Amino acid sequence: MSDLRPLFSPRGVAVVGASRSGAKLGAVMARSLRSFDGALGLVNSRNPDPDAGLHASVAAASQALGAPMDLAILCVPAAACASAVEDAAAAGTKAALVCAGGFAESGEQGAVHQAALLEAVRRTGVRLLGPNTSGFFSPAQKLTASFVPAAADVPAGGVAVVAASGGINHALSFLLAEAGLGVSLALGLGNATDVTAPDVLDHLREDDATRVVALHVESVADGRRLVDSVRALTQRVPVVALVVGRNDVAEFAQSHTGALATSWRTTRAALRQAGAVLMDDEQQLVDAVAALSHTRLAPAADPGVGIVTAQAGPGLMLMDSLRGHGVAVPTLGDATVAQLGELLPPLTYQLNPVDTGRPAETFGAVLETVAADPAVDAVATYALTEPDSIDLAATVPAASAGTTVPTLVGLGGAPDEVREIRRRLHENGVAAYGAPTALATGVAALVEDARRQHGLARSAATARPAGTGENGTPVPAERTSWDEDQAKSLVAQLGVRTMPRRACGSDAEAHAALDELGGPVAVKLLDAAVLHKTEIGGVRLGVRSHEGLDEALAGLRSAGADRFLVEAMAPAGVDLILGARRDPVFGPVVLLGLGGTVAEALADVSLRVAPLSPAEAATMPEDLAGRALLEGFRGSPALDRSELADLVSALGTLLLDAPHLADVEINPLRVTADGLVALDAVVTTKES
């Protein structure tokens, strides 16, 4: 049995701090819980009245009702919560919900209260949700442990909402209800002092009532555990995630939950890598969940979508939106087109999208025909609710009955009529929407989930075998500092080419290096303490002669150099930046972007959490807006993705194998006609 069962499926619930005053939190919570099927005990230690159902303690309530109080809901001030947990635990309570604020989110004194609460939880073994949350609800159990009584109106269904914020939990649940969807469990984590998002996600792996999870993230305490929990859960049900923090909201986030907001980009990258489908706002999340609560595509690298539209304009908008999401809309096969020609008038477009004109009696057959095309994994259809037209709520389920290819529906028309048709479609397992763009979001979520599951399977199949280090990378010697020559020797061990170079301690050695390497060469300041040489004039390029070398050495010496690196110039190409660093939340992460200042100025980067397989690493260039530059743009060298994937994978595991290293950066990493070349490399250690 999950250790969260007493929290989310209690046999009895005690409200500690129940009040006769209808406006107080304890009274509001008691009203919310009236419909609960189990035992409900109201506790007011200051003013007990057993005849009125107000008991002096949790133990007294349990004895009076003849039932265990598995869950205690504490509606008392922050300073009293720790002792209330102790008292409830002594009465046999296994779980607690603390809705009150005044904890770490409120400042120094609140942090003291939170520490005391956590210590009580550790001593007693009670699992605690909160504090600083509006609670949770489980409609199938008629359990509304929320101080928002209207939450009882949210219907039961297959969507679990796991939100950092109690307010967002309710907002999402009401949006889901408005869309005709119900929830299996909906909760706000609040400060997550004990029960965290990974705890709940692990619990949901065993919950057969949950078909999809809507995850809202503000901050992450243990990134690795969150990734592991999401990855494990997505093997059973899809996870759709919304991460807050695209812009600078860290200060407000801290005042909200008592925790700093983590990196938005890193969190999104980690969740996506773990198999989650990422959305940008709450409405998109609801649209995605609406699709995934009804169906899930088989894992596939690039599922194709067939579009059937009864009106050309909305069909065009749908196609444009799908392609904007990166969804394939393949041309239908000749056999499919020929069969469609027998069902539709000759003036309609029939290659994909399929324009049927006004919905007619052949509409269902058209849907079946498109679904049968080998290139189609899902069908998206849009139609207006016209008078005397077909019954879409009956036609679509009938057309889908004989195929495993799902059909998703977009509708336009009178609001009441559309709402009724959507309700009937949902009852028959068909996701339905009121706008083409919302339909596109749902279809794109299906496709992205299939891609993510396919990627996870490929990553598992191509995981790097163990090698010199624990994760298969060479373990470098421990030193407190690395100059460029030493850093390049390290990255060369990972398989990336470097240009011929010589480390020189004198002018004579530099001149000998020029004679040996030939011109042109780059001459650089060689000092482990200087990470950005170009900013202090520490680099001279294109040196061809001894006279030019003397001039370069003099300039570098004026910049503070007493050692030099003389290196052959690299061929032309496209520059990347590739680096690995230790994220404070997720551990070692790898970053790839276009080199120079482009990645920094445009934030056009791709992130992954280490370890990552070469198969996962090979997908990183697809995240870049400037990826066309890596595909032989205007005659430039094309990136060998396999070579990059091996390097990225090795770089990520390097930090796992070498805990003394803090950062490793190759910038620029040049794409040349002969492969990748590291033009510069920087290694920093935790000590440095």
Side-chain angles (χ1 to χ4, degrees), residues 168-262:
I168 291 295
N169 170 44
H170 286 81
L172 290 175
S173 297
F174 291 140
L175 283 173
L176 289 166
E178 186 179 343
L181 303 170
V183 304
S184 56
L185 175 68
L187 63 102
L189 291 163
N191 292 7
T193 301
D194 175 44
V195 174
T196 62
D199 291 324
V200 180
L201 298 177
D202 292 344
H203 170 79
L204 293 172
R205 286 169 57 191
E206 309 298 326
D207 182 21
D208 293 337
T210 297
R211 297 193 298 272
V212 62
V213 175
L215 175 64
H216 164 257
V217 178
E218 286 182 358
S219 60
V220 180
D222 187 340
R224 291 280 165 173
R225 184 161 176 235
L226 178 63
V227 165
D228 290 343
S229 295
V230 171
R231 181 180 289 115
L233 180 57
T234 58
Q235 294 178 16
R236 190 183 79 82
V237 296
V239 174
V240 184
L242 172 61
V243 181
V244 177
R246 180 193 295 267
N247 304 298
D248 185 9
V249 296
E251 185 176 351
F252 179 65
Q254 184 175 17
S255 70
H256 180 206
T257 61
L260 286 173
T262 54

Side-chain angles (χ1 to χ4, degrees), residues 20 50 84 131 148 151 196 198 224 231 260 284 300 323 349 396 400 437 471 478 558 601 608 660 681:
R20 290 185 173 87
V148 182
T196 62
R224 291 280 165 173
R231 181 180 289 115
L260 286 173
Q284 286 187 2
R323 287 187 168 168
Y349 190 84
V396 175
S400 304
T437 52
N471 293 284
E478 293 194 29
S558 67
R608 295 291 188 276
H660 58 286

Side-chain angles (χ1 to χ4, degrees), residues 457-482:
R458 285 190 64 208
S459 294
T462 62
R464 183 178 293 278
T468 308
E470 181 182 349
N471 293 284
T473 56
V475 178
E478 293 194 29
R479 52 166 56 98
T480 58
S481 62
W482 297 69

Side-chain angles (χ1 to χ4, degrees), residues 275-370:
V277 177
L278 276 297
M279 290 292 135
D280 292 329
D281 59 47
E282 70 283 0
Q283 188 56 58
Q284 286 187 2
L285 183 143
V286 170
D287 292 338
V289 163
L292 288 162
S293 66
H294 290 295
T295 188
R296 195 179 196 187
L297 299 183
D302 194 21
V305 175
I307 300 174
V308 178
T309 179
Q311 287 81 30
L316 180 61
M317 183 177 291
L318 174 58
M319 181 181 184
D320 186 43
S321 186
L322 285 174
R323 287 187 168 168
H325 284 290
V327 174
V329 183
T331 299
L332 300 176
D334 292 343
T336 303
V337 173
Q339 190 171 350
L340 290 172
E342 298 177 3
L343 297 169
L344 297 171
L347 297 180
T348 60
Y349 190 84
Q350 299 170 12
L351 298 179
N352 199 15
V354 177
D355 183 8
T356 67
R358 188 172 187 268
E361 64 277 359
T362 61
F363 197 81
V366 171
L367 292 175
E368 292 182 49
T369 301
V370 173

Side-chain angles (χ1 to χ4, degrees), residues 595-655:
T597 59
V598 176
E600 182 178 354
L602 302 180
D604 186 19
V605 296
S606 176
L607 289 162
R608 295 291 188 276
V609 175
L612 68 163
S613 69
E616 178 65 31
T619 66
M620 292 181 72
E622 298 172 8
D623 299 343
L624 303 178
R627 59 187 174 274
L629 297 175
L630 306 176
E631 299 169 357
F633 184 76
R634 294 192 174 182
S636 61
L639 172 67
D640 182 338
R641 289 203 180 195
S642 177
E643 181 186 15
L644 177 69
D646 287 339
L647 174 59
V648 170
S649 179
L651 184 61
T653 53
L654 171 65
L655 258 63

